[in-house]
Amino acid sequence: MSSPVIGIDLGGTNLLVGLMDEDGALIARTHRPTDASRGDQAVMDTIAEATQSVCQESDTPLEAIGAIGIAVCGAVDHGAGIVLRTGALDWTDVPLSSQLQDRLDRPVVLENDVNAAAWGEYRRGAGRGSDGMLAVWVGTGIGGGIVLDGHLFHGPRGTAGELGQTKADNTGAEPRILEAIASRTGMRALANEATMSDSMLMSLAGNDTEKIGTAELATAFAAGDEMGVHVATTAANVLGSAIANAVTLLSIDTVVIGGGITEALGEPWVELVRTQFRNDVFPPQAATWCRLLKTELESDAGMIGAAMLAVDVQ
């Protein structure tokens, strides 16, 4: 029988730590500000302290924890347990797994945050029961994670799933990748290119496109503001086409869309993505047998996925 596990989601702003049983049931949780400016050693000290805190809260001895899974925003070598590069934390070549293991004396498995979110949705969320799944997380950027034949697919060099880095527009003077159009950053750029006047979106942002954030986009979109709808629809159309290409290539039966933008814009925006996906996917029958779903686990997906990875290494 598997032991309890710890799942950790380490982001640039916040750190989430959850203690879970082998089925993914949450026993205790806590969070801390990441405050990456303190440096990697201080952040790891905070991770260790938060891990010990959830154990104490649930009267679970640290020694009873079977393994610890940690999801990190950025490029990782999951086999070696090394964070290769993450701009949100300003880390390069940080041996996170071994240093956490030194602090906590428990096995540690490291994964990219969107890969972990994909695994969480596949095991405990919207992707349950799928034969093959793509997770697409839309926030400041766009990340992807792939599950094939019941396993996370990393590819021979460990970089599979980076849907946001694929080319999406070759028509302009400077070709653009998907996340330069369909992420929050991309939507801000679309607003900057738009020519609508009397825009609620611009008003909410103080007429400064650099101040357009998730909340402003969600409010303007929900209100039917012309610019807000234009920006969100353009992003949804490009994202839907990119997802159709991925499904055409992989022949998977489930796509789960998550991330801060998805959660804020909600099901109406996901339906726009679905519409374009159905128009573009091949064969046309894939529009009926491939489910395109909104995240169930939302901001907990990475933490739960990391915990499920910890269950798998016991």
Side-chain angles (χ1 to χ4, degrees):
M1 184 174 181
S2 298
S3 302
V5 295
I6 296 287
I8 301 169
D9 188 353
L10 176 61
T13 303
N14 292 304
L15 162 71
L16 302 177
V17 180
L19 172 63
M20 303 176 197
D21 66 21
E22 64 274 14
D23 295 320
L26 188 64
I27 300 169
R29 66 182 297 158
T30 190
H31 70 277
R32 303 282 188 277
T34 303
D35 194 6
S37 63
R38 299 175 298 149
D40 55 17
Q41 297 303 308
V43 171
M44 281 188 264
D45 288 342
T46 299
I47 296 171
E49 178 275 322
T51 299
Q52 292 163 341
S53 175
V54 294
C55 289
Q56 291 167 3
E57 179 185 337
S58 61
D59 294 322
T60 303
L62 183 60
E63 297 77 17
I65 300 299
I68 297 169
I70 182 164
V72 179
C73 54
V76 305
D77 182 335
H78 70 279
I82 296 172
V83 178
L84 300 174
R85 177 66 180 142
T86 169
L89 298 170
D90 196 24
W91 289 5
T92 302
D93 294 331
V94 174
L96 181 57
S97 290
S98 63
Q99 294 201 13
L100 278 184
Q101 190 162 327
D102 288 344
R103 285 168 168 82
L104 296 167
D105 195 28
R106 310 314 303 148
V108 177
V109 57
L110 172 67
E111 188 52 87
N112 163 268
D113 60 342
V114 181
N115 279 344
W119 194 238
E121 293 287 351
Y122 175 74
R123 292 284 293 272
R124 301 294 300 169
R128 290 190 304 273
S130 63
D131 292 325
M133 193 195 91
L134 170 68
V136 181
W137 247 237
V138 185
T140 304
I142 295 178
I146 303 169
V147 179
L148 295 177
D149 299 325
H151 301 280
L152 271 173
F153 179 72
H154 296 95
R157 295 294 180 267
T159 61
E162 292 292 350
L163 185 70
Q165 299 299 311
T166 58
K167 196 68 63 63
D169 178 17
N170 280 319
T171 60
E174 294 186 11
R176 292 187 289 183
I177 60 175
L178 177 63
E179 73 174 29
I181 303 170
S183 67
R184 180 173 65 240
T185 306
M187 292 187 197
R188 185 182 293 157
L190 291 174
N192 196 45
E193 296 167 3
T195 58
M196 292 93 172
S197 59
D198 299 322
S199 164
M200 174 190 287
L201 180 59
M202 291 303 297
S203 178
L204 290 169
N207 292 312
D208 183 354
T209 54
E210 292 302 310
K211 294 181 180 178
I212 294 175
T214 302
E216 289 77 16
L217 286 163
T219 299
F221 176 62
D225 170 62
E226 183 182 9
M227 180 182 284
V229 171
H230 165 74
V231 166
T233 301
T234 301
N237 289 344
V238 175
L239 180 61
S241 289
I243 291 172
N245 290 339
V247 171
T248 298
L249 180 68
L250 297 173
S251 190
I252 53 180
D253 66 4
T254 305
V255 179
V256 180
I257 306 179
I261 285 289
T262 305
E263 292 171 32
L265 299 185
E267 185 62 32
W269 186 72
V270 174
E271 185 57 31
L272 291 175
V273 179
R274 283 193 193 102
T275 298
Q276 191 65 48
F277 163 77
R278 291 165 181 155
N279 288 339
D280 292 348
V281 72
F282 183 87
Q285 292 86 346
T288 59
W289 54 248
C290 182
R291 308 177 296 165
L292 201 159
L293 306 171
K294 182 176 174 289
T295 172
E296 284 185 17
L297 303 180
E298 297 189 340
S299 59
D300 283 345
M303 179 180 70
I304 292 172
M308 293 297 94
L309 288 166
V311 168
D312 296 339
V313 301
Q314 294 189 71

